[in-house]
Amino acid sequence: MKLLIAVPTYNEIENIKRFVITVFEHIPDYADILVIDDNSPDGTAAAVEDLIRNYPNRLHILNRESKQGLAAAYLAAFEWGLSRGYDVFLEMDADFSHNPKYIPEMIDKIETNDVVIGSRNISGGGVEGWSALRNFISKGGSLYSRLVLGCPIKDLTGGFNMWRKSALEKINLETISAKGYLFQIEMKYKAFLAGCSITEIPIIFTDRKQGKSKMSKGIFVEALINIWKIKSNARTDKGSFEFIKFAVTGGLGTVTNLVIFFIFADLLKLPEIPVSICCFIVAATQNYIINHHWSFRNRTESDKPSIKKWFLFIVSSLLGLGINILVMRAILTYFNVPLKLIAQAGGILAGMVINYAVSKFLVFRRKK
Ligand SMILES: Nc1nc2c(ncn2[C@@H]2O[C@H](COP(=O)(O)OP(=O)(O)OP(=O)(O)O)[C@@H](O)[C@H]2O)c(=O)[nH]1
Ligand SMILES: [Mg+2]
């Protein structure tokens, strides 16, 4: 096992040296520490660099240009560690809220689990030094998140967690959208959805004694709302309903097509071939828009609809139509079907699968 302890810091000059020294007293020699510092104005990074001489090859620092939040710091740390062959990761605050004495038990539990959570909310766990109000808010927030997400993890918000590399791979870190406080919830929820084995060990969390708190009311209220976003994103990430949504969208497009055809060809008596071509374009455009905002929402998050993609989608729909006709003809030629309708149904399905594949992997492909 190669363990990396990832410690994000922002203005932790009063804690960091003592913290690093204490952690090294509690960890085996296959464990290293990576401090991720966001250019703390108080000189935290310089203090770490000072210590690196005492722990060559075991203490590392990742200097980032500006304060980018906890989530970005951890994601950078995972990337740093994964590319250097670490297979277990521990997230830990630098302010002594997370007592290093729990690390050996976490290491023990990670042998048989994908994720080990240092938990304040199970029997034996708790919080020291928080006001009754902050305690109430934290417990309430945890319960609320658990109910909204339908997730059995008792401490969803805590930041003292150990991850196997395989868990991080299952979560697919590229899909993590939370920036701040919600990061821990999103990671754990995704691990739960991905079927990771997760266990909680009781920890006593102690409030920071040195340095300033960065928690605010704003962060908390934002979290209450954004948790719903996490829920819907995580579910669409699985992509399990993409095809069904795509098919429903196609069905709606067909209705639009028929309604317009009826108005212009039957009621207004316009020539049916040009009308039919227009109907196709209008319906395909409608499909493009709905697919962008609904069926493939999770792939197009950071993207706007564009003429180029619309055109690609029209071409993809034409390709689907071509396949539809070919397969329908082939079924009629090679099989003895009692109704032509069956051949057309087969054709529609084949056309739709092709259109779906082109849409998913080309038109709406995820931006890197
Ligand atoms: N790299 C980096 N680290 C951060 C940032 N914000 C907070 N941290 C560090 O992340 C850890 C947890 O942050 P804390 O400020 O302790 O947050 P908290 O535990 O929710 O709240 P308090 O302990 O009450 O302040 C600490 O080690 C911080 O120094 C950030 O933007 N970038
Ligand atoms: Mg803290």
Side-chain angles (χ1 to χ4, degrees):
M1 186 196 292
K2 232 182 128 191
L3 167 65
L4 185 66
I5 303 179
V7 185
T9 53
Y10 193 75
N11 286 347
E12 296 289 0
I13 191 72
E14 289 156 273
N15 293 310
I16 193 65
K17 277 199 168 175
R18 200 164 49 91
F19 174 82
V20 167
I21 293 167
T22 316
V23 172
F24 271 120
E25 284 165 6
H26 285 87
I27 57 177
D29 54 12
Y30 54 80
D32 301 340
I33 299 179
L34 173 69
V35 173
I36 312 99
D37 187 71
D38 281 2
N39 207 357
S40 302
D42 71 353
T44 302
V48 176
E49 274 148 15
D50 236 22
L51 268 183
I52 284 180
R53 266 174 268 138
N54 302 354
Y55 303 98
N57 300 322
R58 300 226 20 222
L59 175 61
H60 307 271
I61 184 159
L62 191 57
N63 286 305
R64 292 156 63 77
E65 263 171 33
S66 59
K67 180 159 165 56
Q68 293 167 52
L70 217 58
Y74 275 129
L75 290 174
F78 293 147
E79 196 184 319
W80 189 96
L82 287 170
S83 68
R84 284 167 179 79
Y86 289 92
D87 45 20
V88 177
F89 295 81
L90 174 65
E91 299 167 324
M92 201 170 174
D93 292 354
D95 59 3
F96 286 97
S97 287
H98 301 143
N99 193 326
K101 75 173 182 192
Y102 297 115
I103 299 177
E105 189 184 349
M106 295 177 102
I107 293 178
D108 191 45
K109 286 277 164 33
I110 202 75
E111 298 282 352
T112 48
N113 288 281
D114 296 321
V115 185
V116 179
I117 295 172
S119 179
R120 298 160 297 179
N121 301 338
I122 57 173
S123 142
V127 177
E128 248 171 30
W130 271 6
S131 65
L133 180 69
R134 182 152 184 195
N135 216 340
F136 175 78
I137 290 176
S138 166
K139 285 253 162 55
S142 245
L143 184 65
Y144 171 82
S145 322
R146 231 162 73 212
L147 291 176
V148 170
L149 299 176
C151 177
I153 296 169
K154 295 270 173 32
D155 195 337
L156 273 168
T157 54
F160 194 18
N161 312 300
M162 198 177 263
W163 308 84
R164 266 193 180 284
K165 177 180 159 190
S166 55
L168 297 180
E169 284 165 353
K170 278 188 208 162
I171 289 174
N172 190 0
L173 297 172
E174 277 176 23
T175 67
I176 295 291
S177 61
K179 301 274 178 292
Y181 186 66
L182 281 180
F183 172 73
Q184 297 298 354
I185 302 183
E186 186 173 10
M187 290 279 292
K188 288 174 200 167
Y189 180 51
K190 285 198 163 143
F192 163 70
L193 287 182
C196 294
S197 62
I198 303 172
T199 192
E200 294 183 69
I201 67 152
I203 61 151
I204 303 288
F205 176 101
T206 37
D207 196 14
R208 64 161 69 243
K209 295 190 176 64
Q210 309 290 331
K212 276 204 203 76
S213 170
K214 289 135 201 143
M215 189 68 192
S216 74
K217 261 185 248 138
I219 298 177
F220 183 74
V221 172
E222 195 189 317
L224 291 186
I225 298 164
N226 283 342
I227 194 135
W228 290 94
K229 241 193 224 162
I230 290 198
K231 182 180 166 104
S232 81
N233 283 353
R235 297 206 169 253
T236 45
D237 275 351
K238 292 174 90 181
S240 50
F241 297 116
E242 257 174 19
F243 185 73
I244 294 171
K245 288 178 177 172
F246 184 83
V248 170
T249 304
L252 288 174
T254 308
V255 173
T256 301
N257 188 320
L258 291 176
V259 169
I260 299 177
F261 189 87
F262 175 72
I263 294 172
F264 287 91
D266 282 316
L267 298 183
L268 300 176
K269 310 261 184 283
L270 293 178
E272 60 275 6
I273 291 193
V275 168
S276 178
I277 292 173
C278 290
C279 289
F280 176 84
I281 294 174
V282 172
T285 302
Q286 171 183 310
N287 291 353
Y288 170 69
I289 293 168
I290 300 180
N291 282 327
H292 180 97
H293 290 290
W294 186 52
S295 324
F296 295 112
R297 188 182 58 181
N298 123 346
R299 307 180 153 265
T300 57
E301 257 170 5
S302 53
D303 236 358
K304 288 203 173 63
S306 71
I307 298 285
K308 190 177 143 204
K309 292 207 184 131
W310 166 81
F311 182 72
L312 260 180
F313 185 77
I314 300 278
V315 172
S316 169
S317 304
L318 276 173
L319 180 72
L321 182 66
I323 301 283
N324 178 344
I325 294 170
L326 275 178
V327 170
M328 185 257 292
R329 281 288 342 149
I331 294 178
L332 286 178
T333 311
Y334 298 109
F335 297 91
N336 199 3
V337 285
L339 285 172
K340 284 184 181 169
L341 181 80
I342 296 174
Q344 173 66 344
I348 289 177
L349 188 66
M352 199 165 75
V353 168
I354 296 296
N355 191 1
Y356 173 73
V358 176
S359 297
K360 177 166 176 160
F361 297 113
L362 192 67
V363 184
F364 300 104
R365 74 166 178 268
R366 203 175 260 129
K367 259 199 180 158
K368 282 273 168 246

Short mmCIF file of all heavy atoms in Angstrom, two decimals, residues 1 3 9 19 22 25 33 37 45 51 72 84 92 114 148 151 178 189-190 220 222 234 289 294 346 356 358:
data_model
loop_
_atom_site.label_atom_id
_atom_site.label_comp_id
_atom_site.label_asym_id
_atom_site.label_seq_id
_atom_site.Cartn_x
_atom_site.Cartn_y
_atom_site.Cartn_z
N MET A 1 0.84 -1.21 0.00
CA MET A 1 0.00 0.00 0.00
C MET A 1 0.87 1.25 0.00
O MET A 1 1.93 1.28 0.64
CB MET A 1 -0.88 0.00 1.26
CG MET A 1 -1.90 1.13 1.26
SD MET A 1 -2.63 1.46 2.90
CE MET A 1 -3.60 0.00 3.20
N LEU A 3 0.23 5.23 0.73
CA LEU A 3 -0.82 6.12 1.22
C LEU A 3 -0.39 7.58 1.11
O LEU A 3 0.73 7.93 1.51
CB LEU A 3 -1.12 5.77 2.68
CG LEU A 3 -1.96 6.76 3.51
CD1 LEU A 3 -3.38 6.87 2.97
CD2 LEU A 3 -2.01 6.32 4.97
N THR A 9 -4.33 23.68 2.73
CA THR A 9 -4.11 24.72 3.73
C THR A 9 -4.39 26.10 3.15
O THR A 9 -4.10 26.38 1.99
CB THR A 9 -2.65 24.74 4.23
OG1 THR A 9 -1.78 24.83 3.09
CG2 THR A 9 -2.31 23.53 5.04
N PHE A 19 1.37 20.32 13.13
CA PHE A 19 0.47 19.33 12.53
C PHE A 19 1.26 18.26 11.77
O PHE A 19 1.07 17.06 11.98
CB PHE A 19 -0.53 20.03 11.60
CG PHE A 19 -1.41 19.08 10.83
CD1 PHE A 19 -2.54 18.52 11.41
CD2 PHE A 19 -1.08 18.71 9.52
CE1 PHE A 19 -3.34 17.63 10.70
CE2 PHE A 19 -1.87 17.82 8.81
CZ PHE A 19 -3.00 17.28 9.41
N THR A 22 3.21 16.01 14.09
CA THR A 22 2.33 15.07 14.82
C THR A 22 1.83 13.95 13.91
O THR A 22 1.79 12.79 14.31
CB THR A 22 1.11 15.83 15.40
OG1 THR A 22 1.55 17.04 15.97
CG2 THR A 22 0.38 14.99 16.42
N GLU A 25 4.21 11.20 13.38
CA GLU A 25 4.36 10.31 14.54
C GLU A 25 3.32 9.19 14.53
O GLU A 25 3.46 8.18 15.22
CB GLU A 25 4.20 11.12 15.84
CG GLU A 25 5.46 11.94 16.15
CD GLU A 25 5.20 13.01 17.21
OE1 GLU A 25 4.08 13.04 17.79
OE2 GLU A 25 6.11 13.82 17.44
N ILE A 33 2.92 12.75 3.10
CA ILE A 33 1.99 13.88 3.26
C ILE A 33 2.15 14.85 2.09
O ILE A 33 3.28 15.16 1.70
CB ILE A 33 2.26 14.64 4.58
CG1 ILE A 33 2.06 13.72 5.78
CG2 ILE A 33 1.36 15.88 4.69
CD1 ILE A 33 2.33 14.40 7.14
N ASP A 37 -1.30 24.09 -0.86
CA ASP A 37 -1.46 25.45 -0.33
C ASP A 37 -1.85 26.42 -1.44
O ASP A 37 -1.26 26.41 -2.52
CB ASP A 37 -0.16 25.91 0.33
CG ASP A 37 -0.37 27.26 1.02
OD1 ASP A 37 -1.06 27.28 2.06
OD2 ASP A 37 0.11 28.28 0.50
N ALA A 45 3.15 28.08 3.16
CA ALA A 45 3.94 27.28 2.22
C ALA A 45 5.42 27.29 2.61
O ALA A 45 6.09 26.24 2.59
CB ALA A 45 3.75 27.80 0.80
N LEU A 51 10.19 22.45 6.45
CA LEU A 51 10.11 21.11 7.07
C LEU A 51 10.49 20.00 6.10
O LEU A 51 10.88 18.91 6.53
CB LEU A 51 8.67 20.86 7.52
CG LEU A 51 8.27 21.23 8.94
CD1 LEU A 51 6.82 20.80 9.17
CD2 LEU A 51 9.17 20.52 9.95
N ALA A 72 -11.22 22.06 -5.22
CA ALA A 72 -10.16 22.15 -6.23
C ALA A 72 -8.85 21.64 -5.65
O ALA A 72 -8.08 20.95 -6.33
CB ALA A 72 -10.01 23.59 -6.70
N ARG A 84 1.43 9.42 -9.37
CA ARG A 84 2.67 8.98 -8.72
C ARG A 84 2.51 7.63 -8.03
O ARG A 84 3.31 7.26 -7.17
CB ARG A 84 3.13 10.04 -7.71
CG ARG A 84 3.76 11.24 -8.39
CD ARG A 84 3.91 12.41 -7.44
NE ARG A 84 4.55 13.54 -8.10
CZ ARG A 84 3.92 14.39 -8.91
NH1 ARG A 84 2.63 14.23 -9.15
NH2 ARG A 84 4.56 15.39 -9.48
N MET A 92 -7.61 15.33 5.07
CA MET A 92 -7.48 15.75 6.46
C MET A 92 -7.26 17.25 6.56
O MET A 92 -6.52 17.83 5.76
CB MET A 92 -6.25 15.02 7.02
CG MET A 92 -6.21 14.90 8.48
SD MET A 92 -4.87 13.79 8.93
CE MET A 92 -4.96 14.00 10.69
N ASP A 114 -13.68 0.21 0.38
CA ASP A 114 -13.25 1.19 -0.63
C ASP A 114 -13.13 2.58 -0.01
O ASP A 114 -12.34 3.40 -0.45
CB ASP A 114 -14.27 1.27 -1.77
CG ASP A 114 -14.38 -0.03 -2.53
OD1 ASP A 114 -13.34 -0.67 -2.74
OD2 ASP A 114 -15.51 -0.42 -2.91
N VAL A 148 -32.60 14.00 1.65
CA VAL A 148 -32.74 14.44 0.25
C VAL A 148 -32.11 13.40 -0.68
O VAL A 148 -32.68 13.03 -1.71
CB VAL A 148 -32.08 15.81 0.03
CG1 VAL A 148 -32.01 16.15 -1.45
CG2 VAL A 148 -32.83 16.90 0.78
N CYS A 151 -29.40 8.58 1.16
CA CYS A 151 -28.09 7.95 1.29
C CYS A 151 -27.85 7.61 2.76
O CYS A 151 -28.04 8.46 3.63
CB CYS A 151 -27.05 8.94 0.78
SG CYS A 151 -25.37 8.39 0.93
N ALA A 178 -19.24 20.08 -7.32
CA ALA A 178 -19.28 20.96 -6.14
C ALA A 178 -17.95 21.67 -5.97
O ALA A 178 -16.89 21.12 -6.23
CB ALA A 178 -19.59 20.14 -4.90
N TYR A 189 -21.70 10.62 -1.85
CA TYR A 189 -22.93 10.20 -2.50
C TYR A 189 -22.61 9.42 -3.77
O TYR A 189 -23.19 8.38 -4.06
CB TYR A 189 -23.78 11.44 -2.80
CG TYR A 189 -25.09 11.16 -3.48
CD1 TYR A 189 -25.97 10.21 -2.98
CD2 TYR A 189 -25.47 11.85 -4.62
CE1 TYR A 189 -27.19 9.96 -3.60
CE2 TYR A 189 -26.67 11.63 -5.24
CZ TYR A 189 -27.53 10.68 -4.73
OH TYR A 189 -28.73 10.43 -5.34
N LYS A 190 -21.63 9.92 -4.52
CA LYS A 190 -21.26 9.24 -5.77
C LYS A 190 -20.64 7.87 -5.47
O LYS A 190 -20.86 6.91 -6.20
CB LYS A 190 -20.32 10.10 -6.60
CG LYS A 190 -21.09 11.23 -7.27
CD LYS A 190 -20.38 11.85 -8.42
CE LYS A 190 -21.36 12.66 -9.25
NZ LYS A 190 -20.77 13.89 -9.79
N PHE A 220 -23.49 27.82 4.06
CA PHE A 220 -24.43 26.81 4.54
C PHE A 220 -25.76 26.86 3.77
O PHE A 220 -26.26 25.83 3.31
CB PHE A 220 -24.66 27.03 6.04
CG PHE A 220 -25.55 25.99 6.62
CD1 PHE A 220 -25.08 24.70 6.84
CD2 PHE A 220 -26.87 26.30 6.94
CE1 PHE A 220 -25.91 23.74 7.36
CE2 PHE A 220 -27.70 25.34 7.46
CZ PHE A 220 -27.22 24.06 7.68
N GLU A 222 -26.30 28.11 0.83
CA GLU A 222 -26.05 27.69 -0.55
C GLU A 222 -26.06 26.16 -0.64
O GLU A 222 -26.61 25.57 -1.57
CB GLU A 222 -24.69 28.24 -0.94
CG GLU A 222 -24.40 28.23 -2.42
CD GLU A 222 -22.93 28.58 -2.65
OE1 GLU A 222 -22.43 29.52 -1.98
OE2 GLU A 222 -22.30 27.91 -3.46
N ALA A 234 -25.91 13.61 -10.17
CA ALA A 234 -25.36 12.28 -9.92
C ALA A 234 -26.22 11.23 -10.60
O ALA A 234 -25.71 10.24 -11.11
CB ALA A 234 -25.26 12.01 -8.43
N ILE A 289 -32.82 20.58 -29.61
CA ILE A 289 -32.91 21.45 -28.43
C ILE A 289 -33.27 20.65 -27.18
O ILE A 289 -32.66 20.81 -26.12
CB ILE A 289 -33.94 22.58 -28.69
CG1 ILE A 289 -33.39 23.50 -29.79
CG2 ILE A 289 -34.20 23.38 -27.42
CD1 ILE A 289 -34.40 24.48 -30.34
N TRP A 294 -32.09 18.28 -22.07
CA TRP A 294 -32.69 17.24 -21.22
C TRP A 294 -31.96 15.90 -21.35
O TRP A 294 -31.26 15.50 -20.42
CB TRP A 294 -34.18 17.11 -21.58
CG TRP A 294 -34.95 16.19 -20.69
CD1 TRP A 294 -34.99 16.20 -19.32
CD2 TRP A 294 -35.77 15.11 -21.12
NE1 TRP A 294 -35.79 15.20 -18.88
CE2 TRP A 294 -36.31 14.51 -19.95
CE3 TRP A 294 -36.15 14.61 -22.37
CZ2 TRP A 294 -37.17 13.42 -20.00
CZ3 TRP A 294 -37.02 13.52 -22.42
CH2 TRP A 294 -37.52 12.94 -21.25
N GLY A 346 -38.78 -2.20 -36.99
CA GLY A 346 -37.37 -2.62 -36.92
C GLY A 346 -36.47 -1.52 -37.47
O GLY A 346 -35.42 -1.21 -36.90
N TYR A 356 -28.76 7.78 -31.96
CA TYR A 356 -28.41 7.93 -30.55
C TYR A 356 -26.89 7.87 -30.36
O TYR A 356 -26.28 8.70 -29.67
CB TYR A 356 -29.09 6.83 -29.73
CG TYR A 356 -28.68 6.79 -28.28
CD1 TYR A 356 -29.12 7.76 -27.38
CD2 TYR A 356 -27.84 5.78 -27.80
CE1 TYR A 356 -28.74 7.73 -26.05
CE2 TYR A 356 -27.46 5.74 -26.47
CZ TYR A 356 -27.91 6.71 -25.60
OH TYR A 356 -27.53 6.67 -24.29
N VAL A 358 -24.48 8.39 -32.57
CA VAL A 358 -23.79 9.56 -33.14
C VAL A 358 -24.01 10.78 -32.25
O VAL A 358 -23.11 11.57 -32.00
CB VAL A 358 -24.28 9.83 -34.60
CG1 VAL A 358 -23.64 11.10 -35.13
CG2 VAL A 358 -23.94 8.65 -35.50
#
